Each structure stands twice: as C-alpha cells, then as structure tokens.
Amino acid sequence: EIMKNGEFSDEDLEASKRAMCDGILGVNDSPDSIDAFYALQWQSDAVKPPEEFAAEYEKITREDVVRAANKISVDTIYMLAGN
C-alpha cells in the first residue's frame, strides 16, 4: 500500500534506480554474464545492450512506480510458525 500511495522518499527511489543500474551494468563483468544476457534476448525483436536498459531505468519516475504498484495485488500471504 505504501508504494501504491507513493509514500516513499526520493532517496529510496534514487537508491533503487542506482541498484537496478548497477545490477544490469554488472552484466559486463564477465563473459558468461554477457552471454547469458544476450541469450535471453535473442528472440526479442529489439536486442538492447545493458547500457540502454540502465538509461531506461534512470528515467523511471515516482508516477511510474505508483502506476505499476497499482497494477499488482497480493495473491498469497504466508504465516510462518515455530514448533
């Protein structure tokens, strides 16, 4: 509900975008990662390098997050109990 209401800080949004960019750009750190990254895209109409994904992540706005959050709902809640 917090995300749906936009109740998160600008700092949280920027930190999340940085983490996503760091993750996608980390693909370039090893040949196996690069291979896997492009292998997952090979059936796509538009194959993009990690840098393009990172550029798109940087453009994400608070409104984008709220809009996406409002499209999802909780399906299952699990309760963990001890013995």
Side-chain angles (χ1 to χ4, degrees):
E1 293 303 312
I2 290 171
M3 301 298 275
K4 289 181 178 184
N5 295 326
E7 298 171 4
F8 50 90
S9 70
D10 291 339
E11 293 81 15
D12 287 339
L13 177 59
E14 290 305 314
S16 296
K17 292 189 322 186
R18 255 190 325 276
M20 289 173 32
C21 289
D22 289 347
I24 198 72
L25 293 174
V27 162
N28 292 321
D29 291 346
S30 79
D32 287 339
S33 294
I34 294 169
D35 182 50
F37 177 80
Y38 285 106
L40 290 172
Q41 292 188 66
W42 78 273
Q43 290 183 327
S44 175
D45 290 336
V47 176
K48 297 186 280 191
E51 294 78 12
E52 282 189 39
F53 280 99
E56 290 175 13
Y57 295 160
E58 284 295 335
K59 295 177 187 175
I60 294 172
T61 66
R62 173 180 298 277
E63 292 76 22
D64 294 330
V65 173
V66 169
R67 189 172 31 259
N70 279 293
K71 290 181 180 180
I72 61 173
S73 61
V74 175
D75 178 69
T76 305
I77 297 175
Y78 293 94
M79 299 295 287
L80 302 177
N83 293 340

